[in-house]
């Protein structure tokens, strides 16, 4: 389905962790077809839209989790319920739950965590048992651990400074009792995290969602192209999710 433009009403938003906010919007979600897709948000006074991954959605609402990293996302964080945002929805290809194994690992780093929540729900609906490894900088940055647990997922958390959970990175969680034994993985986070996970799991199939700066968000400007084993692909249109087997580091 093609991307759809619409105006969405803010139902609520609140701070989840350091510099991280959750916003729930009401509007047309019919263009969303797969976990891991994203929306592109038009902000007053800003020329380029801001791409934000979709955490979860239903027939009438969608949930976004974003980090305040610049003037655009800071502007978003000041918006109150009842305010409106112009969104392009249904962007990107998302994860394919049917390609995941029966016990897939969901590995998220920082604001790469949100799309994995919707993916976990989709996997559970298919009778699969996802296990979750979350990585953050410190205890102040941790979010959605309990939300994944509420779905019935085994969850392990790592922090770089060791202030919460296991000291280190997502890859330091792979042999934890609740995590070990996964038969595929789906990952979203910074490129160094994705690369490390790729190297740590050479025998396991995977789907990796890449973060990239974008201009248009729907494949026209070619600004987010990357090389793959099967030719150039646009992260916004042909991604953000790529198969492990096609990635060139």
């Amino acid at each position: 389905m093609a991307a759809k433009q619409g105006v969405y009403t803010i139902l609520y938003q609140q701070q989840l962790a350091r510099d991280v906010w959750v916003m729930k919007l009401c509007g047309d979600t019919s263009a969303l077809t797969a976990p891991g897709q994203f929306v592109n948000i038009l902000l007053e006074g800003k020329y380029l839209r801001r791409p934000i991954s979709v955490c979860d959605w239903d027939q009438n609402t969608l949930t976004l989790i974003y980090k305040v990293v610049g003037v655009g996302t800071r502007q978003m964080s000041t918006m109150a319920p009842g305010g409106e945002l112009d969104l392009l929805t249904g962007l990107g290809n998302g994860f394919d739950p049917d390609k995941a194994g029966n016990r897939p690992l969901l590995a998220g780093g920082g604001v790469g965590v949100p799309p994995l929540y919707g993916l976990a729900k989709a996997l559970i609906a298919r009778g699969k048992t996802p296990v979750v490894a979350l990585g953050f900088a410190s205890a102040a940055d941790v979010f959605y651990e309990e939300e994944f647990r509420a779905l019935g997922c085994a969850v392990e958390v790592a922090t770089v400074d060791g202030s919460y959970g296991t000291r280190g990175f997502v890859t330091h969680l792979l042999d934890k009792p609740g995590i070990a034994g996964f038969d595929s993985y789906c990952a979203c986070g910074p490129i160094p995290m994705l690369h490390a996970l790729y190297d740590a799991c050479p025998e396991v199939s995977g789907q990796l969602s890449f973060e990239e700066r974008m201009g248009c968000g729907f494949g026209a400007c070619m600004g987010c192209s990357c090389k793959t084993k099967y030719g150039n692909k646009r992260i916004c249109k042909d991604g953000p999710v790529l198969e492990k087997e096609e990635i060139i580091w």
Side-chain angles (χ1 to χ4, degrees):
M1 180 179 289
K4 231 176 184 181
Q5 182 177 3
V7 176
Y8 295 73
T9 303
I10 300 171
L11 296 179
Y12 74 81
Q13 78 161 332
Q14 64 184 48
Q15 191 167 4
L16 282 181
R18 178 168 54 189
D19 297 327
V20 176
W21 295 73
V22 58
M23 175 185 285
K24 190 167 187 176
L25 298 150
C26 179
D28 182 2
T29 61
S30 62
L32 295 169
T33 59
Q37 289 182 299
F38 66 96
V39 299
N40 227 1
I41 303 174
L42 181 65
L43 295 169
E44 185 177 355
K46 305 297 183 295
Y47 178 67
L48 292 178
R49 291 175 179 261
R50 267 56 180 181
I52 305 289
S53 61
V54 176
C55 175
D56 195 14
W57 79 94
D58 58 28
Q59 288 186 335
N60 302 304
T61 68
L62 60 91
T63 301
L64 309 176
I65 294 177
Y66 63 96
K67 185 173 184 177
V68 174
V69 294
V71 293
T73 45
R74 187 164 301 283
Q75 181 176 327
M76 280 179 60
S77 72
T78 65
M79 299 186 72
E84 294 183 333
L85 283 171
D86 183 308
L87 270 59
L88 288 175
T89 63
L91 299 174
N93 63 346
F95 294 100
D96 186 344
D98 294 322
K99 289 184 178 179
N102 290 320
R103 184 182 163 81
L105 167 67
L106 308 187
V111 285
V113 169
L116 300 179
Y117 180 75
L119 175 59
K121 293 176 72 173
L123 291 165
I124 291 168
R126 287 164 171 78
K128 303 188 178 191
T129 308
V131 296
V132 180
L134 306 178
F136 302 95
S138 72
D141 304 299
V142 176
F143 65 89
Y144 257 51
E145 175 188 5
E146 295 309 316
E147 282 78 357
F148 280 105
R149 291 192 196 280
L151 295 179
C153 300
V155 182
E156 292 286 348
V157 178
T159 53
V160 176
D161 65 1
S163 56
Y164 187 86
T166 299
R167 178 186 293 273
F169 305 100
V170 163
T171 47
H172 293 118
L173 302 173
L174 303 184
D175 60 354
K176 294 287 184 180
I179 301 296
F182 56 91
D183 54 10
S184 67
Y185 65 86
C186 297
C188 185
I191 287 179
M193 185 206 93
L194 299 181
H195 198 168
L197 187 63
Y198 177 100
D199 289 343
C201 307
E203 306 301 323
V204 182
S205 64
Q207 301 176 56
L208 295 89
S209 180
F210 285 82
E211 300 173 347
E212 184 58 82
R213 288 185 176 275
M214 299 177 185
C216 68
F218 49 82
C221 73
M222 309 299 290
C224 61
S225 294
C226 68
K227 290 182 179 179
T228 76
K229 293 178 182 177
Y230 309 119
N232 289 334
K233 290 194 172 184
R234 298 157 294 179
I235 291 298
C236 71
K237 181 74 172 178
D238 308 309
V241 179
L242 300 178
E243 301 274 349
K244 171 188 174 181
E245 292 72 20
E246 66 184 304
I247 295 169
I248 297 175
W249 296 106

